[in-house]
Amino acid sequence: FGLSGQVTMVGRVARAEMPGLYRKAYALVFPSIWPEPLARTTQEAMACSLPVVATPTGGTAELIENEVNGLTFSPENAVELAAQLKRLWLNPAFAAELGQAARCTVEARFDIQLTVSNIEAYCAELARSHGHS
C-alpha cells in the first residue's frame, strides 16, 4: 500500500498548533467510536479543504456525506479504513474534490451570519410561542 513513512501519529496537540498541522496534512483520519457531539476537529479539517476519512458517529455523521464531501468507514473496521485511504492515495484529484466539497459544506452550514440569523429566528419563534412580542 506504500504508506510506511507517510502516516504520522502526533498524539495530543495544542489548539494553536492545529492550523499548521492541517496545512501539512494530505487528509484527516477521524476514527472515533464515540458519538462526538460537535465534531469540531472534523469541521476544522473540512474548513481547511482536507479530505476527511471518518466514522459516521455523532456530529461527524451530520457533516460527512460519504463520497460527496468525505469518506466514511465503520467504527473499528481497519479493512474499510485502509480501503478508503487507498482510494485517496491512488486518486489525488478525487481527494482534492472531496476537500473542496468539504470546505463548501462548512462554509454553507457554519457561516457566522447564517448561524446568528438562525439563532435570532429561533429565539423570536420561542418568544412568539410563549406569548411575547
Side-chain angles (χ1 to χ4, degrees):
F1 186 55
L3 287 181
S4 181
Q6 300 294 323
V7 175
T8 304
M9 303 296 256
V10 295
R12 188 169 177 84
V13 175
R15 189 130 201 67
E17 295 175 30
M18 289 304 295
L21 284 178
Y22 292 136
R23 283 190 293 274
K24 293 178 187 176
Y26 182 76
L28 174 78
V29 176
F30 198 75
S32 182
I33 59 173
W34 296 285
E36 310 281 344
L38 184 57
R40 186 166 71 186
T41 301
T42 302
Q43 289 175 21
E44 289 173 351
M46 292 172 73
C48 292
S49 301
L50 275 180
V52 175
V53 181
T55 52
T57 58
T60 299
E62 297 174 23
L63 290 170
I64 301 289
E65 186 176 348
N66 192 43
E67 299 192 12
V68 174
N69 63 0
L71 297 173
T72 61
F73 64 98
S74 301
E76 300 185 77
N77 191 323
V79 173
E80 286 181 21
L81 169 58
Q84 296 294 45
L85 289 174
K86 185 176 182 179
R87 291 177 68 195
L88 290 183
W89 189 256
L90 295 176
N91 193 340
F94 179 55
E97 287 174 23
L98 290 175
Q100 287 303 310
R103 180 168 176 94
C104 289
T105 297
V106 171
E107 287 176 345
R109 293 183 57 195
F110 298 100
D111 173 79
I112 190 66
Q113 290 307 114
L114 177 63
T115 301
V116 168
S117 295
N118 287 341
I119 291 170
E120 287 174 341
Y122 178 73
C123 290
E125 180 57 35
L126 279 177
R128 275 192 299 280
S129 69
H130 288 89
H132 304 287
S133 310

